[in-house]
């Protein structure tokens, strides 16, 4: 069984700007480009393919008087939890999911008008981690960073405003929830409000944080064991807030438990620790490895909001006199580049 690092060595990044998502609706069978050899979906270096249906990730009520401790403990033990009573109105989430569905329902010719150009982050295309794998994922995505108006007007020349309005509102709600949770976690870590690391929190303006909204669509596949929705990866920033439609598919990897499905809970958002919180917490919080498997009968949609400090902010491990730092300080944008080039090896490159 090969390891992920061997996969990188054997399959150096391809230039994926020529490769576009499949028109899944028109397929009669699984093309070789998307047919994964058995158990290559897993990250063998991190635990094989055991799926643990008995374990479940913490479900936390934000109104619980102990929310800080519950969230902090979940970050330490799992690196992921589901959150209810988060005050993001269900109406906003449902409208955003509705617009996401409207987008992926468009004919391929129209979606391709917004195909991500080389070096661009926004628009329609394959998962960003595609170049690191020899097979393609059963997935189409649309990334929003900044205004979506230009792309939306190409998707819907005469009716793009509803999409833009909903996505803007959704991102505003996500940003304030991300700030609130980051603040709670800082309290848990005993980082005081005036500390330098908190400087950027609650700052107004577009440059105040790094954020992106990733809309994901996993078409149904009659033979899901042969395909991969999204290959195992960790998220780059501090926190990810994910809404998933009612179809199962997300799984997280936990040492000792194996792959644990994250069952959709009505009204709950999934929050997970990314690489930057792992670094900031000096390794105390695991940057949870996760993947998506495909459903045989139902298409799955998700919306992932990635949140971190502004690009020029330097993230360093917490200063705890009782333990030495495990990572060297890294500027957010430098880490993003390191990750884009090295994927799962990026962290080890800044390890002390
Ligand atoms: O679709 C999901 O549940 C997960 C998406 C994800 O991991 C990502 O976009 O980074
Ligand atoms: Fe992810």
């Amino acid at each position: 069984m090969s390891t992920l690092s061997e996969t990188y060595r054997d399959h150096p990044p391809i230039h994926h700007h020529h490769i576009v998502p499949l028109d899944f609706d028109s397929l009669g069978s699984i093309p070789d480009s998307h047919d994964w050899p058995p158990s290559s979906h897993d990250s063998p270096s991190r635990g094989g393919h055991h799926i643990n249906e008995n374990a479940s990730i913490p479900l936390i009520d934000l109104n619980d008087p102990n929310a800080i401790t519950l969230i902090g403990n979940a970050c330490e033990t799992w690196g992921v939890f589901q959150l209810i009573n988060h005050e993001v109105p269900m109406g906003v989430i449902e409208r955003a999911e509705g617009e996401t569905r409207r987008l992926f329902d468009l004919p391929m010719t129209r979606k391709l008008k917004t195909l991500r150009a080389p070096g661009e982050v926004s628009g329609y295309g394959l998962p960003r981690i595609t170049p690191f794998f020899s097979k393609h994922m059963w997935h189409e995505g649309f990334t929003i960073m900044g205004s979506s108006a230009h792309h939306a007007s190409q998707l819907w020349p005469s009716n793009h405003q509803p999409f833009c309005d909903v996505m803007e509102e959704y991102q505003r709600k996500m940003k304030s929830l991300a700030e609130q949770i980051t603040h709670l976690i800082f309290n848990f870590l005993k980082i005081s409000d005036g500390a330098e690391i908190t400087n950027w929190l609650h700052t107004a303006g577009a440059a105040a944080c790094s954020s992106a909204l990733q809309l994901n669509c996993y078409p149904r596949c009659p033979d899901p064991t042969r395909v991969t929705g999204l290959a195992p990866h960790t998220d780059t920033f501090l926190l990810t807030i994910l809404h998933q439609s009612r179809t199962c598919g997300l799984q997280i990897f936990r040492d000792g438990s194996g792959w644990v499905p994250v069952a959709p809970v009505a009204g709950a958002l999934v929050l997970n620790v990314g690489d930057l919180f792992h670094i900031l917490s000096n390794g105390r919080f695991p940057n949870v490895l996760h993947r998506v498997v495909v459903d045989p009968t139902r298409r799955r949609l998700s919306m992932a909001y990635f949140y971190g400090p502004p690009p020029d902010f330097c993230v360093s491990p917490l200063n705890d006199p009782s333990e030495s730092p495990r990572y060297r300080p890294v500027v957010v944008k430098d880490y993003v580049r390191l990750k884009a080039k090295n994927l799962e090896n990026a962290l080890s490159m800044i390890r002390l």
Side-chain angles (χ1 to χ4, degrees), residues 231-288:
H233 67 282
T234 65
D235 292 341
T236 303
F237 292 92
L238 277 185
L239 281 176
T240 303
I241 307 179
L242 180 98
H243 163 74
Q244 49 177 342
S245 64
R246 283 191 298 262
T247 307
C248 294
L250 177 62
Q251 300 179 343
I252 62 106
F253 186 79
R254 189 184 185 210
D255 284 329
S257 303
W259 288 104
V260 179
V262 181
V265 172
L269 292 165
V270 181
L271 280 84
N272 71 268
V273 169
D275 298 347
L276 291 182
F277 236 138
H278 174 76
I279 297 167
L280 194 149
S281 67
N282 202 24
R284 203 167 143 183
F285 297 166
N287 52 334
V288 67

Side-chain angles (χ1 to χ4, degrees), residues 112-256:
L112 287 179
K113 291 192 187 303
T114 64
L115 188 66
R116 272 201 309 267
E120 261 184 22
V121 266
S122 303
Y124 179 71
L126 297 167
R128 204 161 301 285
I129 58 176
T130 297
F132 295 97
F133 298 89
S134 57
K135 296 287 180 176
H136 292 179
M137 288 163 246
W138 205 256
H139 174 280
E140 49 180 337
F142 187 87
T143 312
I144 300 175
M145 204 182 261
S147 167
S148 60
H150 175 64
H151 280 147
S153 65
Q154 292 171 306
L155 293 170
W156 299 282
S158 58
N159 187 22
H160 68 279
Q161 208 53 47
F163 179 86
C164 297
D165 291 347
V166 169
M167 292 306 165
E168 249 169 56
E169 189 178 4
Y170 187 76
Q171 288 182 91
R172 269 200 305 277
K173 299 287 184 203
M174 287 296 120
K175 180 168 185 277
S176 74
L177 179 61
E179 285 170 352
Q180 185 186 3
I181 300 299
T182 303
H183 195 243
L184 291 183
I185 297 176
F186 281 0
N187 276 343
F188 176 82
L189 292 171
K190 307 220 170 3
I191 300 173
S192 61
D193 275 345
E196 209 181 323
I197 179 71
T198 67
N199 278 351
W200 50 278
L201 259 183
H202 305 295
T203 318
C209 68
S210 300
S211 70
L213 182 62
Q214 172 69 29
L215 311 178
N216 296 307
C217 175
Y218 308 90
R220 63 187 188 85
C221 177
D223 195 352
T225 58
R226 286 168 54 193
V227 302
T228 290
L230 200 53
H233 67 282
T234 65
D235 292 341
T236 303
F237 292 92
L238 277 185
L239 281 176
T240 303
I241 307 179
L242 180 98
H243 163 74
Q244 49 177 342
S245 64
R246 283 191 298 262
T247 307
C248 294
L250 177 62
Q251 300 179 343
I252 62 106
F253 186 79
R254 189 184 185 210
D255 284 329

Side-chain angles (χ1 to χ4, degrees), residues 298-316:
R298 285 177 12 178
R299 167 169 83 165
R300 177 172 183 274
L301 299 174
S302 74
M303 309 185 286
Y305 177 81
F306 305 110
Y307 174 78
D312 289 320
F313 191 85
C314 185
V315 172
S316 33

